[in-house]
Amino acid sequence: MAPIDRPTEPESLLAAVRSFVADDVLPNVAAWDREDVLPEDVFARLMDLGLMGAMVPPEYGGPGLKVIDLVPVWRTLSQGWISLAGAVNPSGLATALLVRYGTDAQREHWLRPLASGAIFAAFSITEPQAGSDLKRIETRASALPGGGLRLDGSKRWVAGGASADVVFMLVLVEGAERPSCVVLPADGRDGPGWRVEFLDKMGYRGVESATYEFDGLASAGAEILGGDRRLGHGAAQMLDALDVGRINVACRALGILDRVAAAAATQALDREIGEGVLADYTHTQLRIGELHMQMLAAESLTLRAALAVDARATDARQLSIAAKVFASDATIWAIDRAARLAASRSYAADDELARLRRDAPQTQIGEGANDALLFSLARDVLSNWAPDAVPEEWRSLTADPPAD
């Protein structure tokens, strides 16, 4: 891959990503998926393009792109492979956390190297006993004499967790009933007190998904995001950042939808049936029309949600949930319909639809399982409709505690 000048404008970044996907990703993605590898030079290209630090504000050396600017970029990456959009996502979440909640010192320390591509980040909430239920978080931290934190517990599904330079992690810190967001430098990873293992996956391959086991890890550089005054605010902070992540996942789904639509059209126009082609039949035309309608609806909802997230609008969370759930469910539906048109061809191991069928379920799980998000959405709606009538246990721990 030839060296490139880092694009800083949305249009130039999108053009560079389109060339990268067409020239480097699509010709090789089947082999990468089969070998479960994201080649180092491909990951380096993501860094060179500035995708890890795309949202870092100009005052910290970044281009300061908005989520709405990155929707077509993440979608195009996902047309090549959703693992690429997944690989850049944790650094975007880290950027959102630092910009919105970090101390001046934390922003200065982490945002500049994110912007330059010198580092990338990981993001960790899930634990073996706690998927979407944050009340079950058990990983704990306590203050070390002279600064830093001691950590004990387990984490799962840490995206980029085996090689990221810093981890933003939801942890119960001594002195607060609610969890905090801990900023954990990667020093000491794979050493005494911090064991890392890889999770094997049926799809969404190549991108790292790690497990952590902490056993008395003493990290002198670990600290609470926002400083001590933000002790116990971690759930609210990290779920706020996940509004950005859910748009990224919706874009993964859109990228898959684009490829599915192309595969369905190709089958319809090229597959000979009797004296004509599959597209001659009204049933095929209905399926193609339905697929395009679902894609347009998912696109419109994702764009609306991205604008709300950028504006920090009061309905940003609801819209990001709706966009992610709708787009991911539409993707599963679309693959099924396209596979029916392709018939046995879609079951061959090296067929693109077969890979997309394995990748697509990740979009229903990433940044919150769809059913859990729908429960959250329903409870928000019901709580707003009749706030005095809802059960106390519905009241989320994600609301910030009173300010100090």
Side-chain angles (χ1 to χ4, degrees):
M1 297 182 188
I4 60 169
D5 293 327
R6 176 171 297 177
T8 57
E9 297 296 327
E11 296 80 7
S12 58
L13 177 59
L14 179 58
V17 169
R18 282 175 173 161
S19 296
F20 167 58
V21 168
D23 297 341
D24 299 313
V25 178
L26 287 174
N28 297 296
V29 64
W32 298 342
D33 172 77
R34 186 167 53 251
E35 297 165 11
D36 192 12
V37 62
L38 179 57
E40 290 185 8
D41 61 332
V42 176
F43 189 83
R45 177 55 64 93
L46 298 177
M47 301 282 278
D48 290 343
L49 286 166
L51 291 168
M52 306 302 183
M55 292 188 291
V56 174
E59 57 266 34
Y60 294 101
L65 299 185
K66 298 183 180 299
V67 175
I68 192 67
D69 298 324
L70 291 168
V71 164
V73 172
W74 292 336
R75 180 177 184 171
T76 302
L77 283 175
S78 300
Q79 290 166 2
W81 199 17
I82 67 166
S83 296
L84 301 177
V88 304
N89 185 49
S91 293
L93 298 178
T95 300
L97 285 169
L98 287 163
V99 169
R100 296 175 183 182
Y101 301 110
T103 64
D104 290 342
Q106 289 168 345
R107 291 177 186 138
E108 186 68 31
H109 184 77
W110 295 113
L111 286 176
R112 290 192 183 279
L114 278 170
S116 70
I119 68 168
F120 66 99
F123 184 94
S124 175
I125 291 179
T126 305
E127 299 185 2
Q129 78 294 334
S132 300
D133 187 355
L134 304 189
K135 296 183 179 67
R136 294 182 177 272
I137 292 292
E138 293 180 357
T139 299
R140 295 183 176 274
S142 56
L144 292 171
L149 297 169
R150 172 192 170 100
L151 290 111
D152 293 275
S154 303
K155 289 289 182 182
R156 289 176 64 83
W157 298 109
V158 186
S163 54
D165 301 279
V166 59
V167 184
F168 289 74
M169 189 167 61
L170 194 64
V171 175
L172 284 168
V173 178
E174 188 176 36
E177 293 184 0
R178 297 177 180 222
S180 303
C181 179
V182 166
V183 184
L184 177 64
D187 303 341
R189 184 175 49 210
D190 270 333
W194 186 354
R195 189 172 79 250
V196 181
E197 294 182 356
F198 288 95
L199 290 164
D200 192 16
K201 309 183 295 290
M202 72 170 191
Y204 190 51
R205 294 165 70 77
V207 66
E208 292 177 359
S209 297
T211 67
Y212 289 164
E213 293 290 338
F214 297 108
D215 184 11
L217 173 71
S219 174
E223 58 183 339
I224 297 166
L225 179 69
D228 289 344
R229 70 186 186 89
R230 290 292 183 178
L231 182 68
H233 290 229
Q237 293 169 340
M238 298 187 83
L239 290 190
D240 184 35
L242 281 176
D243 288 347
V244 176
R246 282 189 283 269
I247 303 301
N248 179 285
V249 175
C251 291
R252 297 178 212 175
L254 284 170
I256 293 176
L257 278 169
D258 291 331
R259 297 301 297 176
V260 170
T266 299
Q267 284 294 322
L269 294 169
D270 292 353
R271 185 177 174 189
E272 295 182 356
I273 303 290
E275 296 182 356
V277 294
L278 191 60
D280 294 334
Y281 293 84
T282 55
H283 174 79
T284 302
Q285 296 166 23
L286 284 171
R287 297 293 81 78
I288 298 290
E290 285 179 331
L291 198 160
H292 194 65
M293 177 193 67
Q294 293 280 346
M295 183 171 63
L296 290 174
E299 176 186 78
S300 296
L301 186 51
T302 301
L303 291 170
R304 180 183 172 190
L307 289 170
V309 171
D310 282 333
R312 306 292 302 279
T314 55
D315 59 352
R317 179 162 301 172
Q318 291 191 5
L319 284 168
S320 71
I321 287 174
K324 184 265 190 191
V325 171
F326 185 87
S328 60
D329 284 351
T331 296
I332 299 296
W333 173 89
I335 290 172
D336 176 73
R337 294 306 186 273
R340 294 185 192 188
L341 294 178
S344 60
R345 293 166 177 79
S346 72
Y347 205 65
D350 60 350
D351 187 82
E352 183 177 25
L353 280 176
R355 174 173 60 81
L356 297 178
R357 193 195 297 268
R358 289 186 287 104
D359 281 347
Q362 191 278 335
T363 66
Q364 293 183 310
I365 299 168
E367 316 305 53
N370 281 4
D371 281 356
L373 292 176
L374 289 173
F375 278 127
S376 173
L377 189 59
R379 290 179 175 186
D380 281 350
V381 171
L382 294 172
S383 296
N384 291 333
W385 186 266
D388 295 331
V390 300
E392 181 61 32
E393 59 266 24
W394 283 16
R395 306 195 187 282
S396 174
L397 86 166
T398 61
D400 266 337
D404 297 329

